[in-house]
Amino acid sequence: MASPQFFGIAEVGYFVAMMVYIGHFVFRSAFSGKIATVITSVSFLSQTAAILLRWYESYQMGIGRAPLTNLYESLEFFVWCLILGYLIIEYKYKTKTFGAFVTPIAGLALGFIDLTGMRTTIEPLVPALQSNWLLAHVTMSFISYSAFGLSFAAAMMYLIMKTEERKGSAYWFWTVIGGIFVALLVAMFIDYLNYHILQITPAGERSNILGSTFRNTSSAVRVFSYLATAGFIAFVWRYGGTLKRTLSHFKISPELLDELNYKVIALGFPIFTLGGLIFGAVWADQAWGVYWSWDPKETWSLITWLAYAFYLHARFIKGWRGIKTAVVSSVAFIIVIFTYLGVNIFLSGLHSYGEMP
């Protein structure tokens, strides 16, 4: 088997694990939780084999580089780090509840790969980018992104457990963010049905992302999509208390979630500072002759750094805890998503190495 087959097994496995984890969360079945862990572990091993095999295949082709040099490979590595972090948390804290909140993030990333039709072939780097700094910069950047993803999951769970008053701003915050996140997953699933199963619309065009719903050529479909999303958010807002009661059943304390939110950010922030910003600047100087050029990716990376720096400043200097820091953590991860994917979709620059059509 070649690396694409192992990647395919892993991706299907993660989607199945996501549904089983959500089923475990809703129906509180211990057996389904064990099944979800097994599926996730097998998928993780398959993805590990795929990454190593792709590395080996690049040497066989005479290219000889780490599989971290384009958007496809970086997304795969991001998901790998995210799942690894999740499995460590599940083992250490003996809870499978996180799976229902972490695996959808992996599903969102993998769905992005399928829907954009980005190039997945192994290609050599341009000479200007061939540097040992590549491995350090990209690897550390995506380790930190995965840590921030885990903090987002912990923050959302904390907000669900600690907010009760429907008119409260924090309650509004998590119901709107959670509703939009689920709506995006559903919209990407509809895209997948259209492009890959029904083949109504050709896949592999960046302009086709969310083209079946929010970016459809028909104004009626767009209006319906927004109205359906608004209706779903209203549903989450009305029945959000059910999620809180469900989480309470798993006996995971808000204090643990707040502490976990802080610990993964405390781990990810220095890694991002060193690998994402400093090593990136050194590599940019070697490649382009300048440390910093205010490229859109660089600018949004700085905004990301400031957002998490504010989180740590507020926690240590201002004494913020609980709901306030959970909101800051969630907003910061939304910035991460835009830095990671939004810049490649909507902006251009030196970092637009995504090779999306």
Side-chain angles (χ1 to χ4, degrees), residues 269-291:
F269 183 74
I271 295 175
F272 181 70
T273 302
L274 184 63
L277 295 185
I278 298 176
F279 287 178
V282 173
W283 187 25
D285 181 57
Q286 288 189 354
W288 303 311
V290 59
Y291 287 100

Side-chain angles (χ1 to χ4, degrees), residues 212-333:
S212 303
T213 50
F214 301 105
R215 300 174 70 191
N216 194 280
T217 54
S218 167
S219 57
V221 173
R222 293 198 302 272
V223 170
F224 176 79
S225 301
Y226 283 110
L227 289 177
T229 301
F232 179 72
I233 292 173
F235 176 83
V236 176
W237 176 83
R238 176 64 180 81
Y239 296 101
T242 304
L243 283 176
K244 177 183 178 180
R245 289 190 290 275
T246 305
L247 269 176
S248 301
H249 173 81
F250 291 98
K251 299 178 181 177
I252 182 168
S253 69
E255 292 73 21
L256 172 63
L257 294 170
D258 186 51
E259 188 67 16
L260 186 61
N261 183 19
Y262 159 68
K263 283 183 176 178
V264 289
I265 289 177
L267 172 68
F269 183 74
I271 295 175
F272 181 70
T273 302
L274 184 63
L277 295 185
I278 298 176
F279 287 178
V282 173
W283 187 25
D285 181 57
Q286 288 189 354
W288 303 311
V290 59
Y291 287 100
W292 194 270
S293 58
W294 295 107
D295 174 77
K297 183 76 79 176
E298 294 174 351
T299 303
W300 278 94
S301 294
L302 180 60
I303 294 172
T304 299
W305 186 87
L306 291 172
Y308 284 103
F310 176 77
Y311 171 95
L312 294 173
H313 172 80
R315 188 176 180 97
F316 285 112
I317 306 301
K318 299 292 184 181
W320 285 14
R321 295 289 189 279
I323 290 177
K324 286 183 177 180
T325 49
V327 170
V328 173
S329 173
S330 301
V331 172
F333 186 66

Side-chain angles (χ1 to χ4, degrees), residues 199-219:
Q199 296 185 336
I200 294 175
T201 308
E205 294 291 338
R206 180 167 47 175
S207 59
N208 282 341
I209 301 174
L210 307 181
S212 303
T213 50
F214 301 105
R215 300 174 70 191
N216 194 280
T217 54
S218 167
S219 57

Side-chain angles (χ1 to χ4, degrees), residues 162-172 237:
K162 293 296 288 185
T163 54
E164 297 181 357
E165 178 58 47
R166 289 178 188 161
K167 294 182 180 179
S169 56
Y171 186 89
W172 270 102
W237 176 83

Side-chain angles (χ1 to χ4, degrees), residues 18 22 104-105 107-108 111 115 152 156 174-192 209-215 221-236:
M18 177 180 72
I22 293 174
I105 299 174
L108 190 67
L115 297 178
F152 173 73
M156 291 297 288
W174 82 255
T175 52
V176 171
I177 296 298
I180 291 174
F181 190 77
V182 173
L184 284 175
L185 278 175
V186 172
M188 291 174 74
F189 178 71
I190 295 173
D191 278 345
Y192 185 82
I209 301 174
L210 307 181
S212 303
T213 50
F214 301 105
R215 300 174 70 191
V221 173
R222 293 198 302 272
V223 170
F224 176 79
S225 301
Y226 283 110
L227 289 177
T229 301
F232 179 72
I233 292 173
F235 176 83
V236 176

